[in-house]
Amino acid sequence: MSIADNLLKYKTELDKSGVKLIAVSKYHQASAIQEAYDVGQRVFGENIVQEMVEKESILPKDIDWHLIGHLQTNKVKYIAPFVRLIESVDSLKLLIEINKQATKNKRIIDCLLQIYVADEDTKFGLGYDEAIELLRSQEYSEMKNIKIVGLMGIASNNAQEKQTLDEFMELKVLFDGIKVSFFRKEESFKEISMGMSGDYKLAVEAGSTMVRIGSNIFGKRIIKHYE
Ligand SMILES: *Cc1c(COP(=O)(O)O)cnc(C)c1O
């Protein structure tokens, strides 16, 4: 199956459940993204700043770029002019920098708080208490150029289905709690980004609103090293 075929298959399936498809194009060439774009895909996820900046410069301007990987504060400035959603906010320090760079660019940048739900210590993300602490902080209350529109999470690698589903359901419960406590009146707080190629069905079952699918659309990745 071609990239276009794969994409249309997922789009049709996800549209039925009202779930948004983020096509994760990391490590793939701009030509692969163009192929997906040509059949209507507009939202792409990248996890490396340099790669995203390079692709953004040569691809159509109406693409919505989502940053889905760990973001270093010193790199925020490179994506602040164009990024549509930063899905991987994992510290107050990072959020402060995003707000600063968004202000410089006269933009409001949408963000998701990445919540740590996996049973591993290799994944980035905020614990539930840390997320609450961030939302209660004076610094956050004063930010004018960022908007937190939901939560993101990554389930444990190679887990049994039951565990994966439990982790996604845990994220959904956290989302509901945070919604009631902090965003009751804000309609924009509505996204739960969870689910990848191997586990998106379980994520949708647990209430995902956006799934991030890479290899099932673009094929296997060849890992490049930038630094
Ligand atoms: C790479 C990546 C994905 C996509 O993974 P696939 O298994 O290829 O679908 C989704 N989310 C994040 C955060 C990623 O880094």
PDB file of all heavy atoms in Angstrom, residues 116-150:
ATOM      1  N   TYR A 116       2.820  11.873  32.257  1.00  0.00           N
ATOM      2  CA  TYR A 116       3.529  10.614  32.346  1.00  0.00           C
ATOM      3  C   TYR A 116       2.577   9.525  32.843  1.00  0.00           C
ATOM      4  O   TYR A 116       2.166   9.562  33.988  1.00  0.00           O
ATOM      5  CB  TYR A 116       4.675  10.852  33.317  1.00  0.00           C
ATOM      6  CG  TYR A 116       5.534   9.669  33.526  1.00  0.00           C
ATOM      7  CD1 TYR A 116       6.597   9.431  32.672  1.00  0.00           C
ATOM      8  CD2 TYR A 116       5.283   8.786  34.564  1.00  0.00           C
ATOM      9  CE1 TYR A 116       7.395   8.326  32.854  1.00  0.00           C
ATOM     10  CE2 TYR A 116       6.077   7.685  34.748  1.00  0.00           C
ATOM     11  CZ  TYR A 116       7.122   7.460  33.889  1.00  0.00           C
ATOM     12  OH  TYR A 116       7.901   6.362  34.055  1.00  0.00           O
ATOM     13  N   VAL A 117       2.211   8.610  31.944  1.00  0.00           N
ATOM     14  CA  VAL A 117       1.316   7.523  32.379  1.00  0.00           C
ATOM     15  C   VAL A 117       1.965   6.149  32.260  1.00  0.00           C
ATOM     16  O   VAL A 117       1.451   5.163  32.798  1.00  0.00           O
ATOM     17  CB  VAL A 117      -0.023   7.499  31.583  1.00  0.00           C
ATOM     18  CG1 VAL A 117      -0.907   8.661  32.006  1.00  0.00           C
ATOM     19  CG2 VAL A 117       0.191   7.479  30.088  1.00  0.00           C
ATOM     20  N   ALA A 118       3.098   6.084  31.569  1.00  0.00           N
ATOM     21  CA  ALA A 118       3.716   4.773  31.323  1.00  0.00           C
ATOM     22  C   ALA A 118       4.421   4.253  32.563  1.00  0.00           C
ATOM     23  O   ALA A 118       4.820   4.995  33.443  1.00  0.00           O
ATOM     24  CB  ALA A 118       4.709   4.886  30.175  1.00  0.00           C
ATOM     25  N   ASP A 119       4.566   2.957  32.554  1.00  0.00           N
ATOM     26  CA  ASP A 119       5.198   2.275  33.665  1.00  0.00           C
ATOM     27  C   ASP A 119       6.696   2.098  33.370  1.00  0.00           C
ATOM     28  O   ASP A 119       7.233   1.021  33.422  1.00  0.00           O
ATOM     29  CB  ASP A 119       4.482   0.916  33.811  1.00  0.00           C
ATOM     30  CG  ASP A 119       5.048   0.103  34.940  1.00  0.00           C
ATOM     31  OD1 ASP A 119       5.602   0.706  35.872  1.00  0.00           O
ATOM     32  OD2 ASP A 119       4.944  -1.136  34.878  1.00  0.00           O
ATOM     33  N   GLU A 120       7.357   3.157  32.987  1.00  0.00           N
ATOM     34  CA  GLU A 120       8.773   3.086  32.602  1.00  0.00           C
ATOM     35  C   GLU A 120       9.401   4.389  33.032  1.00  0.00           C
ATOM     36  O   GLU A 120       8.719   5.387  33.136  1.00  0.00           O
ATOM     37  CB  GLU A 120       8.919   3.032  31.071  1.00  0.00           C
ATOM     38  CG  GLU A 120       8.183   1.909  30.417  1.00  0.00           C
ATOM     39  CD  GLU A 120       8.051   2.105  28.913  1.00  0.00           C
ATOM     40  OE1 GLU A 120       8.590   3.087  28.357  1.00  0.00           O
ATOM     41  OE2 GLU A 120       7.386   1.263  28.306  1.00  0.00           O
ATOM     42  N   ASP A 121      10.715   4.423  33.208  1.00  0.00           N
ATOM     43  CA  ASP A 121      11.277   5.720  33.576  1.00  0.00           C
ATOM     44  C   ASP A 121      12.008   6.397  32.421  1.00  0.00           C
ATOM     45  O   ASP A 121      12.749   7.337  32.613  1.00  0.00           O
ATOM     46  CB  ASP A 121      12.143   5.642  34.831  1.00  0.00           C
ATOM     47  CG  ASP A 121      13.035   4.433  34.820  1.00  0.00           C
ATOM     48  OD1 ASP A 121      13.539   4.081  33.735  1.00  0.00           O
ATOM     49  OD2 ASP A 121      13.205   3.833  35.883  1.00  0.00           O
ATOM     50  N   THR A 122      11.775   5.931  31.216  1.00  0.00           N
ATOM     51  CA  THR A 122      12.463   6.513  30.068  1.00  0.00           C
ATOM     52  C   THR A 122      11.656   7.614  29.386  1.00  0.00           C
ATOM     53  O   THR A 122      12.157   8.285  28.509  1.00  0.00           O
ATOM     54  CB  THR A 122      12.749   5.441  29.005  1.00  0.00           C
ATOM     55  OG1 THR A 122      11.520   4.777  28.733  1.00  0.00           O
ATOM     56  CG2 THR A 122      13.762   4.442  29.501  1.00  0.00           C
ATOM     57  N   LYS A 123      10.402   7.762  29.751  1.00  0.00           N
ATOM     58  CA  LYS A 123       9.551   8.708  29.024  1.00  0.00           C
ATOM     59  C   LYS A 123       9.471  10.059  29.715  1.00  0.00           C
ATOM     60  O   LYS A 123       9.417  10.148  30.924  1.00  0.00           O
ATOM     61  CB  LYS A 123       8.145   8.118  28.860  1.00  0.00           C
ATOM     62  CG  LYS A 123       8.198   6.848  28.003  1.00  0.00           C
ATOM     63  CD  LYS A 123       7.122   6.823  26.937  1.00  0.00           C
ATOM     64  CE  LYS A 123       7.441   5.852  25.826  1.00  0.00           C
ATOM     65  NZ  LYS A 123       7.055   4.469  26.089  1.00  0.00           N
ATOM     66  N   PHE A 124       9.427  11.101  28.912  1.00  0.00           N
ATOM     67  CA  PHE A 124       9.269  12.441  29.450  1.00  0.00           C
ATOM     68  C   PHE A 124       7.813  12.653  29.849  1.00  0.00           C
ATOM     69  O   PHE A 124       6.915  11.970  29.388  1.00  0.00           O
ATOM     70  CB  PHE A 124       9.658  13.478  28.396  1.00  0.00           C
ATOM     71  CG  PHE A 124      11.121  13.507  28.098  1.00  0.00           C
ATOM     72  CD1 PHE A 124      11.635  12.909  26.954  1.00  0.00           C
ATOM     73  CD2 PHE A 124      11.996  14.139  28.977  1.00  0.00           C
ATOM     74  CE1 PHE A 124      12.989  12.944  26.677  1.00  0.00           C
ATOM     75  CE2 PHE A 124      13.361  14.179  28.710  1.00  0.00           C
ATOM     76  CZ  PHE A 124      13.852  13.576  27.555  1.00  0.00           C
ATOM     77  N   GLY A 125       7.598  13.647  30.660  1.00  0.00           N
ATOM     78  CA  GLY A 125       6.224  13.996  30.989  1.00  0.00           C
ATOM     79  C   GLY A 125       6.107  14.444  32.429  1.00  0.00           C
ATOM     80  O   GLY A 125       7.012  14.230  33.242  1.00  0.00           O
ATOM     81  N   LEU A 126       4.988  15.094  32.721  1.00  0.00           N
ATOM     82  CA  LEU A 126       4.716  15.557  34.068  1.00  0.00           C
ATOM     83  C   LEU A 126       3.940  14.492  34.811  1.00  0.00           C
ATOM     84  O   LEU A 126       3.063  13.841  34.234  1.00  0.00           O
ATOM     85  CB  LEU A 126       3.839  16.810  34.008  1.00  0.00           C
ATOM     86  CG  LEU A 126       4.422  18.062  33.354  1.00  0.00           C
ATOM     87  CD1 LEU A 126       3.302  18.961  32.852  1.00  0.00           C
ATOM     88  CD2 LEU A 126       5.312  18.812  34.328  1.00  0.00           C
ATOM     89  N   GLY A 127       4.235  14.337  36.103  1.00  0.00           N
ATOM     90  CA  GLY A 127       3.364  13.534  36.942  1.00  0.00           C
ATOM     91  C   GLY A 127       2.086  14.330  37.178  1.00  0.00           C
ATOM     92  O   GLY A 127       2.055  15.535  36.912  1.00  0.00           O
ATOM     93  N   TYR A 128       1.059  13.663  37.670  1.00  0.00           N
ATOM     94  CA  TYR A 128      -0.215  14.342  37.885  1.00  0.00           C
ATOM     95  C   TYR A 128      -0.033  15.536  38.836  1.00  0.00           C
ATOM     96  O   TYR A 128      -0.491  16.642  38.564  1.00  0.00           O
ATOM     97  CB  TYR A 128      -1.233  13.351  38.451  1.00  0.00           C
ATOM     98  CG  TYR A 128      -2.619  13.922  38.582  1.00  0.00           C
ATOM     99  CD1 TYR A 128      -3.244  14.533  37.500  1.00  0.00           C
ATOM    100  CD2 TYR A 128      -3.306  13.855  39.799  1.00  0.00           C
ATOM    101  CE1 TYR A 128      -4.525  15.057  37.617  1.00  0.00           C
ATOM    102  CE2 TYR A 128      -4.590  14.372  39.914  1.00  0.00           C
ATOM    103  CZ  TYR A 128      -5.185  14.975  38.823  1.00  0.00           C
ATOM    104  OH  TYR A 128      -6.446  15.492  38.944  1.00  0.00           O
ATOM    105  N   ASP A 129       0.678  15.313  39.946  1.00  0.00           N
ATOM    106  CA  ASP A 129       0.891  16.393  40.918  1.00  0.00           C
ATOM    107  C   ASP A 129       1.656  17.560  40.310  1.00  0.00           C
ATOM    108  O   ASP A 129       1.367  18.715  40.601  1.00  0.00           O
ATOM    109  CB  ASP A 129       1.660  15.867  42.136  1.00  0.00           C
ATOM    110  CG  ASP A 129       0.842  14.863  42.923  1.00  0.00           C
ATOM    111  OD1 ASP A 129      -0.375  14.755  42.655  1.00  0.00           O
ATOM    112  OD2 ASP A 129       1.411  14.187  43.795  1.00  0.00           O
ATOM    113  N   GLU A 130       2.626  17.232  39.473  1.00  0.00           N
ATOM    114  CA  GLU A 130       3.403  18.302  38.825  1.00  0.00           C
ATOM    115  C   GLU A 130       2.535  19.128  37.877  1.00  0.00           C
ATOM    116  O   GLU A 130       2.691  20.339  37.759  1.00  0.00           O
ATOM    117  CB  GLU A 130       4.578  17.705  38.035  1.00  0.00           C
ATOM    118  CG  GLU A 130       5.653  17.097  38.900  1.00  0.00           C
ATOM    119  CD  GLU A 130       6.678  16.341  38.063  1.00  0.00           C
ATOM    120  OE1 GLU A 130       6.284  15.402  37.334  1.00  0.00           O
ATOM    121  OE2 GLU A 130       7.858  16.712  38.127  1.00  0.00           O
ATOM    122  N   ALA A 131       1.634  18.435  37.186  1.00  0.00           N
ATOM    123  CA  ALA A 131       0.742  19.146  36.267  1.00  0.00           C
ATOM    124  C   ALA A 131      -0.158  20.105  37.056  1.00  0.00           C
ATOM    125  O   ALA A 131      -0.347  21.261  36.672  1.00  0.00           O
ATOM    126  CB  ALA A 131      -0.103  18.154  35.473  1.00  0.00           C
ATOM    127  N   ILE A 132      -0.672  19.626  38.177  1.00  0.00           N
ATOM    128  CA  ILE A 132      -1.545  20.464  39.025  1.00  0.00           C
ATOM    129  C   ILE A 132      -0.762  21.666  39.555  1.00  0.00           C
ATOM    130  O   ILE A 132      -1.238  22.804  39.537  1.00  0.00           O
ATOM    131  CB  ILE A 132      -2.097  19.635  40.219  1.00  0.00           C
ATOM    132  CG1 ILE A 132      -2.902  18.446  39.724  1.00  0.00           C
ATOM    133  CG2 ILE A 132      -2.912  20.518  41.164  1.00  0.00           C
ATOM    134  CD1 ILE A 132      -4.171  18.766  39.006  1.00  0.00           C
ATOM    135  N   GLU A 133       0.462  21.388  39.985  1.00  0.00           N
ATOM    136  CA  GLU A 133       1.316  22.452  40.520  1.00  0.00           C
ATOM    137  C   GLU A 133       1.561  23.524  39.452  1.00  0.00           C
ATOM    138  O   GLU A 133       1.493  24.722  39.717  1.00  0.00           O
ATOM    139  CB  GLU A 133       2.639  21.820  40.962  1.00  0.00           C
ATOM    140  CG  GLU A 133       3.472  22.645  41.898  1.00  0.00           C
ATOM    141  CD  GLU A 133       4.757  21.904  42.256  1.00  0.00           C
ATOM    142  OE1 GLU A 133       4.685  20.672  42.506  1.00  0.00           O
ATOM    143  OE2 GLU A 133       5.822  22.523  42.242  1.00  0.00           O
ATOM    144  N   LEU A 134       1.840  23.069  38.239  1.00  0.00           N
ATOM    145  CA  LEU A 134       2.052  24.005  37.129  1.00  0.00           C
ATOM    146  C   LEU A 134       0.800  24.871  36.918  1.00  0.00           C
ATOM    147  O   LEU A 134       0.886  26.097  36.800  1.00  0.00           O
ATOM    148  CB  LEU A 134       2.399  23.216  35.864  1.00  0.00           C
ATOM    149  CG  LEU A 134       2.730  23.981  34.580  1.00  0.00           C
ATOM    150  CD1 LEU A 134       3.594  23.112  33.659  1.00  0.00           C
ATOM    151  CD2 LEU A 134       1.499  24.450  33.819  1.00  0.00           C
ATOM    152  N   LEU A 135      -0.358  24.233  36.907  1.00  0.00           N
ATOM    153  CA  LEU A 135      -1.601  24.963  36.627  1.00  0.00           C
ATOM    154  C   LEU A 135      -1.970  25.927  37.750  1.00  0.00           C
ATOM    155  O   LEU A 135      -2.695  26.895  37.534  1.00  0.00           O
ATOM    156  CB  LEU A 135      -2.745  23.970  36.381  1.00  0.00           C
ATOM    157  CG  LEU A 135      -2.596  23.149  35.086  1.00  0.00           C
ATOM    158  CD1 LEU A 135      -3.575  21.969  35.079  1.00  0.00           C
ATOM    159  CD2 LEU A 135      -2.825  24.019  33.859  1.00  0.00           C
ATOM    160  N   ARG A 136      -1.442  25.656  38.956  1.00  0.00           N
ATOM    161  CA  ARG A 136      -1.725  26.550  40.088  1.00  0.00           C
ATOM    162  C   ARG A 136      -0.689  27.656  40.227  1.00  0.00           C
ATOM    163  O   ARG A 136      -0.827  28.528  41.081  1.00  0.00           O
ATOM    164  CB  ARG A 136      -1.720  25.745  41.390  1.00  0.00           C
ATOM    165  CG  ARG A 136      -2.949  24.916  41.557  1.00  0.00           C
ATOM    166  CD  ARG A 136      -3.110  24.469  43.006  1.00  0.00           C
ATOM    167  NE  ARG A 136      -4.299  23.658  43.140  1.00  0.00           N
ATOM    168  CZ  ARG A 136      -4.340  22.500  43.801  1.00  0.00           C
ATOM    169  NH1 ARG A 136      -3.269  22.041  44.404  1.00  0.00           N
ATOM    170  NH2 ARG A 136      -5.473  21.831  43.865  1.00  0.00           N
ATOM    171  N   SER A 137       0.370  27.590  39.428  1.00  0.00           N
ATOM    172  CA  SER A 137       1.486  28.517  39.651  1.00  0.00           C
ATOM    173  C   SER A 137       1.134  29.944  39.235  1.00  0.00           C
ATOM    174  O   SER A 137       0.338  30.176  38.329  1.00  0.00           O
ATOM    175  CB  SER A 137       2.738  28.039  38.898  1.00  0.00           C
ATOM    176  OG  SER A 137       2.538  28.158  37.506  1.00  0.00           O
ATOM    177  N   GLN A 138       1.770  30.864  39.932  1.00  0.00           N
ATOM    178  CA  GLN A 138       1.624  32.285  39.622  1.00  0.00           C
ATOM    179  C   GLN A 138       2.096  32.547  38.191  1.00  0.00           C
ATOM    180  O   GLN A 138       1.447  33.251  37.418  1.00  0.00           O
ATOM    181  CB  GLN A 138       2.506  33.074  40.619  1.00  0.00           C
ATOM    182  CG  GLN A 138       2.498  34.570  40.433  1.00  0.00           C
ATOM    183  CD  GLN A 138       1.170  35.163  40.897  1.00  0.00           C
ATOM    184  OE1 GLN A 138       0.434  34.533  41.652  1.00  0.00           O
ATOM    185  NE2 GLN A 138       0.856  36.358  40.413  1.00  0.00           N
ATOM    186  N   GLU A 139       3.228  31.949  37.827  1.00  0.00           N
ATOM    187  CA  GLU A 139       3.798  32.163  36.483  1.00  0.00           C
ATOM    188  C   GLU A 139       2.783  31.794  35.401  1.00  0.00           C
ATOM    189  O   GLU A 139       2.567  32.542  34.463  1.00  0.00           O
ATOM    190  CB  GLU A 139       5.062  31.301  36.273  1.00  0.00           C
ATOM    191  CG  GLU A 139       6.262  31.771  37.058  1.00  0.00           C
ATOM    192  CD  GLU A 139       6.442  30.956  38.326  1.00  0.00           C
ATOM    193  OE1 GLU A 139       5.425  30.525  38.919  1.00  0.00           O
ATOM    194  OE2 GLU A 139       7.598  30.765  38.736  1.00  0.00           O
ATOM    195  N   TYR A 140       2.161  30.626  35.569  1.00  0.00           N
ATOM    196  CA  TYR A 140       1.198  30.190  34.561  1.00  0.00           C
ATOM    197  C   TYR A 140       0.016  31.160  34.474  1.00  0.00           C
ATOM    198  O   TYR A 140      -0.433  31.516  33.381  1.00  0.00           O
ATOM    199  CB  TYR A 140       0.709  28.766  34.848  1.00  0.00           C
ATOM    200  CG  TYR A 140      -0.482  28.367  34.012  1.00  0.00           C
ATOM    201  CD1 TYR A 140      -0.363  28.234  32.629  1.00  0.00           C
ATOM    202  CD2 TYR A 140      -1.738  28.183  34.589  1.00  0.00           C
ATOM    203  CE1 TYR A 140      -1.466  27.914  31.853  1.00  0.00           C
ATOM    204  CE2 TYR A 140      -2.838  27.861  33.819  1.00  0.00           C
ATOM    205  CZ  TYR A 140      -2.696  27.730  32.457  1.00  0.00           C
ATOM    206  OH  TYR A 140      -3.794  27.429  31.688  1.00  0.00           O
ATOM    207  N   SER A 141      -0.441  31.616  35.619  1.00  0.00           N
ATOM    208  CA  SER A 141      -1.633  32.483  35.622  1.00  0.00           C
ATOM    209  C   SER A 141      -1.371  33.799  34.904  1.00  0.00           C
ATOM    210  O   SER A 141      -2.297  34.472  34.470  1.00  0.00           O
ATOM    211  CB  SER A 141      -2.105  32.727  37.059  1.00  0.00           C
ATOM    212  OG  SER A 141      -1.173  33.571  37.717  1.00  0.00           O
ATOM    213  N   GLU A 142      -0.096  34.150  34.761  1.00  0.00           N
ATOM    214  CA  GLU A 142       0.225  35.423  34.115  1.00  0.00           C
ATOM    215  C   GLU A 142       0.552  35.293  32.625  1.00  0.00           C
ATOM    216  O   GLU A 142       0.788  36.281  31.945  1.00  0.00           O
ATOM    217  CB  GLU A 142       1.405  36.081  34.852  1.00  0.00           C
ATOM    218  CG  GLU A 142       0.981  36.593  36.223  1.00  0.00           C
ATOM    219  CD  GLU A 142       2.143  36.980  37.124  1.00  0.00           C
ATOM    220  OE1 GLU A 142       3.317  36.835  36.700  1.00  0.00           O
ATOM    221  OE2 GLU A 142       1.859  37.417  38.257  1.00  0.00           O
ATOM    222  N   MET A 143       0.564  34.079  32.120  1.00  0.00           N
ATOM    223  CA  MET A 143       0.933  33.894  30.701  1.00  0.00           C
ATOM    224  C   MET A 143      -0.219  34.281  29.785  1.00  0.00           C
ATOM    225  O   MET A 143      -1.343  33.839  29.973  1.00  0.00           O
ATOM    226  CB  MET A 143       1.298  32.428  30.443  1.00  0.00           C
ATOM    227  CG  MET A 143       2.575  32.019  31.115  1.00  0.00           C
ATOM    228  SD  MET A 143       2.939  30.280  30.777  1.00  0.00           S
ATOM    229  CE  MET A 143       4.217  29.999  32.006  1.00  0.00           C
ATOM    230  N   LYS A 144       0.116  35.072  28.790  1.00  0.00           N
ATOM    231  CA  LYS A 144      -0.935  35.553  27.878  1.00  0.00           C
ATOM    232  C   LYS A 144      -0.800  34.975  26.467  1.00  0.00           C
ATOM    233  O   LYS A 144      -1.709  35.102  25.659  1.00  0.00           O
ATOM    234  CB  LYS A 144      -0.867  37.075  27.786  1.00  0.00           C
ATOM    235  CG  LYS A 144      -1.166  37.751  29.108  1.00  0.00           C
ATOM    236  CD  LYS A 144      -1.555  39.213  28.905  1.00  0.00           C
ATOM    237  CE  LYS A 144      -2.238  39.783  30.131  1.00  0.00           C
ATOM    238  NZ  LYS A 144      -1.346  39.757  31.330  1.00  0.00           N
ATOM    239  N   ASN A 145       0.342  34.398  26.157  1.00  0.00           N
ATOM    240  CA  ASN A 145       0.573  33.981  24.775  1.00  0.00           C
ATOM    241  C   ASN A 145       0.658  32.472  24.565  1.00  0.00           C
ATOM    242  O   ASN A 145       1.115  32.004  23.524  1.00  0.00           O
ATOM    243  CB  ASN A 145       1.813  34.684  24.221  1.00  0.00           C
ATOM    244  CG  ASN A 145       1.546  36.173  24.016  1.00  0.00           C
ATOM    245  OD1 ASN A 145       1.391  36.923  24.978  1.00  0.00           O
ATOM    246  ND2 ASN A 145       1.439  36.591  22.763  1.00  0.00           N
ATOM    247  N   ILE A 146       0.228  31.721  25.564  1.00  0.00           N
ATOM    248  CA  ILE A 146       0.078  30.278  25.368  1.00  0.00           C
ATOM    249  C   ILE A 146      -1.345  29.900  25.770  1.00  0.00           C
ATOM    250  O   ILE A 146      -1.979  30.597  26.564  1.00  0.00           O
ATOM    251  CB  ILE A 146       1.081  29.424  26.184  1.00  0.00           C
ATOM    252  CG1 ILE A 146       0.963  29.745  27.672  1.00  0.00           C
ATOM    253  CG2 ILE A 146       2.503  29.588  25.682  1.00  0.00           C
ATOM    254  CD1 ILE A 146       0.175  28.747  28.444  1.00  0.00           C
ATOM    255  N   LYS A 147      -1.813  28.809  25.189  1.00  0.00           N
ATOM    256  CA  LYS A 147      -3.119  28.288  25.596  1.00  0.00           C
ATOM    257  C   LYS A 147      -2.992  26.780  25.742  1.00  0.00           C
ATOM    258  O   LYS A 147      -2.578  26.094  24.800  1.00  0.00           O
ATOM    259  CB  LYS A 147      -4.165  28.645  24.533  1.00  0.00           C
ATOM    260  CG  LYS A 147      -5.573  28.328  24.976  1.00  0.00           C
ATOM    261  CD  LYS A 147      -6.611  29.158  24.233  1.00  0.00           C
ATOM    262  CE  LYS A 147      -6.661  28.744  22.796  1.00  0.00           C
ATOM    263  NZ  LYS A 147      -7.472  29.532  21.921  1.00  0.00           N
ATOM    264  N   ILE A 148      -3.309  26.288  26.922  1.00  0.00           N
ATOM    265  CA  ILE A 148      -3.274  24.834  27.126  1.00  0.00           C
ATOM    266  C   ILE A 148      -4.619  24.268  26.681  1.00  0.00           C
ATOM    267  O   ILE A 148      -5.657  24.617  27.230  1.00  0.00           O
ATOM    268  CB  ILE A 148      -2.974  24.490  28.598  1.00  0.00           C
ATOM    269  CG1 ILE A 148      -1.557  24.986  28.956  1.00  0.00           C
ATOM    270  CG2 ILE A 148      -3.080  22.980  28.829  1.00  0.00           C
ATOM    271  CD1 ILE A 148      -1.151  24.770  30.395  1.00  0.00           C
ATOM    272  N   VAL A 149      -4.566  23.429  25.656  1.00  0.00           N
ATOM    273  CA  VAL A 149      -5.812  22.924  25.060  1.00  0.00           C
ATOM    274  C   VAL A 149      -6.063  21.442  25.369  1.00  0.00           C
ATOM    275  O   VAL A 149      -7.016  20.858  24.860  1.00  0.00           O
ATOM    276  CB  VAL A 149      -5.848  23.177  23.533  1.00  0.00           C
ATOM    277  CG1 VAL A 149      -5.794  24.672  23.236  1.00  0.00           C
ATOM    278  CG2 VAL A 149      -4.729  22.443  22.795  1.00  0.00           C
ATOM    279  N   GLY A 150      -5.203  20.846  26.200  1.00  0.00           N
ATOM    280  CA  GLY A 150      -5.450  19.456  26.558  1.00  0.00           C
ATOM    281  C   GLY A 150      -4.209  18.753  27.070  1.00  0.00           C
ATOM    282  O   GLY A 150      -3.227  19.396  27.455  1.00  0.00           O
TER     283      GLY A 150
END
